[in-house]
Amino acid sequence: MLIRRATLLDGTAADIRVGARIEEVAGQLWAAPGERVLDAAGGTVLPGLHDHHVHVRAAASALDSLSVGPPAVRTKDQLAQALARAAPGPDGWVRAVGYHDSVAGELDRGDLDALRPDVAVRVQHRSGALWILNSAALRRVGMAEHADGRLRASDRGWSDRLQRRDTDLAGLSASLTALGVTGVTDATPDLDAEGMVALLVAHRRGEFRPRLGFLAPGKKILHDDDLDLDSLTEWIGLAHSDERPVAVHCVTAAQLVVTIAALRAAGGHPRDRIEHAAVADDDSLAELADLGVTVVTQPNFVAERGDQYLVDVPAADHGQLWRVASLLRANVRVALSTDMPFGRGDPWAAMRAAVYRTTPSGAVLGADECVSARTALTMFLGHPGEPARARAVEAGQPGDLCVLNVPPATALAELDAGMVLATVIGGEVVYPAT
Ligand SMILES: [Zn+2]
């Protein structure tokens, strides 16, 4: 197909011929007989956005799950109402997601039995690491005797029994392509080969259009109560001896310190990643730069949960949360992502969060960490395997493009999903679906 009258991000006017790859980018190109032509009318054409850390299956199931955390649900009464009204799915489950302890404390099976005893209820904590099941749900997964119904997602003994294969991948695909997203990296740590194959089959069949990458099996989640430098070092060394990079999930200061030490001891791989780096002190910046590791972070949590951080995190540590600009100044490789469905899966909202760092109540969290709109946008344009290396609209690149209905200056001023006019994957228009 031919995209006419495009404006590239640097302001260059161009026509673009695109198939499986970008074939030609030139001042003026003429349509071949029968070739599809899309008139960008001066709008910006970008490489398709890539969300570098998402959970595809969980995001698809969140589409038909009940949200039981802020901002939708903030109090125990609201939680009671939401659960009482929830209609179970065809398989008999009530699935609730996004729970946070600020709503009604540390829930257990007894609390859930009091709120909704008649059907199987499972509540996922918004961290994604914890589930709470009521008694009916525990019976269904063969754990009727479980003490409190609080189950860690990392415990494969039961989590396989909660896996869904019936999620709405087509619905998720449609919402992603409407945002200009042409690729995602799935960061689910316990995704097995079967789960990966199922997603790839859905992609091949056209049910899930964005290109798919996977961090598993090189992804590791750490827990503060059992941080072990030696075993982490050994795990990293084994992956590297197999030519595999690692992606280590670091949400606390302690996790980042141990991971840096382990990477030092084991030696780095050029494609190693640290996921989140939600808390990073000043000393860690130079270390991360020196290791050459890529930080894949989510400042969208400032926009989504910032008011909670202002309450929960000591003021002296606010500057260490979800850093971006200071990482870049220290020459750390950085890319953005949304962590959908634990974060809102809108990269444009994440870019605005990186630029403004405004919490829901309007406070600014970490003003020193604000980046320019161009930087924020570019951090969603990275290569799947090298998130901090931006792609460009040039011949030879994959035929994945995001066409906006406004010129670059307006696009950068607004950073809004409503600007997406069309999304192209492999030379095919996948949004709008006409
Ligand atoms: Zn994640």
Side-chain angles (χ1 to χ4, degrees):
M1 65 176 293
L2 182 64
I3 301 175
R4 302 219 42 217
R5 298 201 295 158
T7 310
L8 306 184
L9 193 56
D10 65 5
T12 310
D15 290 353
I16 302 160
R17 175 162 284 121
V18 56
R21 300 207 158 253
I22 299 174
E23 290 166 12
E24 284 179 274
V25 180
Q28 195 164 25
L29 294 169
W30 304 103
E35 188 174 30
R36 177 167 187 177
V37 177
L38 191 157
D39 182 7
T44 312
V45 176
L46 305 165
L49 306 186
H50 190 95
D51 195 336
H52 296 283
H53 180 127
V54 303
H55 302 274
V56 171
R57 197 59 80 168
S61 55
L63 290 179
D64 61 1
S65 297
L66 181 70
S67 174
V68 291
V73 168
R74 293 184 184 281
T75 65
K76 188 163 187 184
D77 281 350
Q78 290 171 346
L79 175 67
Q81 280 172 20
L83 288 178
R85 275 202 302 259
D91 56 358
W93 283 94
V94 167
R95 297 182 169 81
V97 297
Y99 183 74
H100 184 260
D101 291 354
S102 63
V103 174
E106 286 198 357
L107 287 182
D108 62 19
R109 69 185 285 176
D111 297 320
L112 291 180
D113 285 346
L115 297 172
R116 188 74 197 258
D118 59 316
V119 294
V121 176
R122 59 203 241 194
V123 174
Q124 188 183 31
H125 192 269
R126 76 177 188 189
S127 66
L130 178 75
W131 298 74
I132 307 107
L133 276 64
N134 72 354
S135 295
L138 288 164
R139 280 195 296 278
R140 281 186 74 148
V141 297
M143 302 179 78
E145 307 304 318
H146 194 274
D148 57 8
R150 291 169 62 84
L151 307 176
R152 257 190 186 176
S154 54
D155 178 358
R156 300 303 297 275
W158 64 275
S159 62
D160 281 351
R161 278 169 273 174
L162 292 192
Q163 293 294 331
R164 290 175 72 183
R165 295 280 186 253
D166 61 340
T167 50
D168 185 8
L169 287 174
L172 178 65
S173 174
S175 63
L176 287 170
T177 53
L179 296 164
V181 172
T182 60
V184 296
T185 298
D186 189 284
T188 308
D190 55 357
L191 188 70
D192 56 14
E194 195 190 333
M196 247 181 264
V197 167
L199 289 175
L200 289 169
V201 167
H203 175 67
R204 207 167 309 131
R205 282 204 308 244
E207 186 185 348
F208 187 81
R209 302 305 296 262
R211 295 183 198 270
L212 276 162
F214 298 98
L215 291 186
K219 162 102 192 252
K220 194 171 192 67
I221 299 254
L222 304 175
H223 296 284
D224 272 2
D225 49 11
D226 85 55
L227 281 175
D228 178 19
L229 176 59
D230 291 338
S231 69
L232 183 59
T233 305
E234 190 188 330
W235 178 79
I236 293 171
L238 275 173
H240 288 174
S241 66
D242 228 8
E243 296 297 323
R244 278 186 293 117
V246 296
V248 187
H249 160 117
C250 294
V251 293
T252 67
Q255 290 169 6
L256 186 61
V257 167
V258 169
T259 300
I260 287 171
L263 284 167
R264 278 229 177 282
H269 181 289
R271 294 201 288 135
D272 284 339
R273 301 171 37 152
I274 287 179
E275 309 302 306
H276 314 303
V279 185
D281 65 19
D282 289 339
D283 292 341
S284 64
L285 303 182
E287 302 248 30
L288 291 167
D290 194 41
L291 285 165
V293 67
T294 298
V295 172
V296 177
T297 189
Q298 294 98 20
N300 49 307
F301 286 124
V302 170
E304 296 168 27
R305 305 177 179 175
D307 293 318
Q308 196 72 46
Y309 298 141
L310 291 172
V311 174
D312 293 348
V313 178
D317 297 340
H318 288 173
Q320 299 185 10
L321 295 171
W322 299 110
R323 302 176 87 153
V324 181
S326 59
L327 289 168
L328 292 170
R329 283 194 296 268
N331 291 318
V332 179
R333 301 178 197 183
V334 189
L336 299 185
S337 57
T338 67
D339 202 11
M340 157 187 91
F342 308 112
R344 258 186 75 203
D346 175 354
W348 301 97
M351 292 173 212
R352 293 196 299 278
V355 173
Y356 303 108
R357 299 186 68 93
T358 310
T359 72
S361 72
V364 174
L365 180 60
D368 290 346
E369 300 297 336
C370 294
V371 297
S372 72
R374 184 178 298 264
T375 299
L377 173 57
T378 305
M379 285 193 286
F380 272 104
L381 304 181
H383 288 261
E386 282 176 275
R389 187 162 71 85
R391 287 162 295 140
V393 178
E394 58 191 26
Q397 293 285 330
D400 303 346
L401 298 169
C402 169
V403 183
L404 306 179
N405 57 17
V406 292
T410 315
L412 292 171
E414 294 184 3
L415 295 177
D416 189 272
M419 307 179 303
V420 178
L421 177 71
T423 303
V424 176
I425 297 178
E428 202 183 323
V429 178
V430 295
Y431 171 83
T434 49

